[in-house]
């Protein structure tokens, strides 16, 4: 995962949730899950399953 993030030059924070505690804390119920937080650290949205261009756009609108 670390190599993929480096190769793709990902600039946002990513987490490797090996024990599933983070997923449980944000209401995860399967993989993958993408979660967006605002600047205050409040979860503002999440997408269960494959992240599409439209779902990513929706999350980004919530963060801005």
């Amino acid at each position: 995962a670390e190599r993929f993030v480096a190769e793709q030059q990902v600039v946002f924070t990513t987490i490797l949730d090996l024990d599933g505690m983070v997923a449980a804390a944000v209401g995860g119920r399967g993989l993958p899950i993408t979660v967006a937080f605002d600047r205050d650290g409040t979860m503002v949205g999440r997408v269960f399953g494959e992240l599409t261009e439209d779902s990513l756009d929706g999350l980004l609108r919530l963060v801005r």
Side-chain angles (χ1 to χ4, degrees), residues 5 10 13 15 19 27-28 31 35 41 44 48 50-51 59-61 63-64:
V5 168
V10 173
T13 302
I15 321 171
D19 59 8
L31 295 175
V35 184
V44 295
F48 298 103
E50 181 180 352
L51 190 62
L59 284 178
L60 291 175
R61 275 187 257 130
V63 174
R64 292 183 186 138

Side-chain angles (χ1 to χ4, degrees), residues 29-46:
R29 54 179 190 259
L31 295 175
I33 179 174
T34 303
V35 184
F37 296 88
D38 67 13
R39 291 183 177 167
D40 297 323
T42 302
M43 185 175 69
V44 295
R46 61 189 168 198

Side-chain angles (χ1 to χ4, degrees), residues 5-28:
V5 168
E7 288 172 356
Q8 299 302 311
Q9 299 177 355
V10 173
V11 296
F12 50 84
T13 302
T14 60
I15 321 171
L16 184 56
D17 185 22
L18 294 175
D19 59 8
M21 290 183 69
V22 175
V26 298

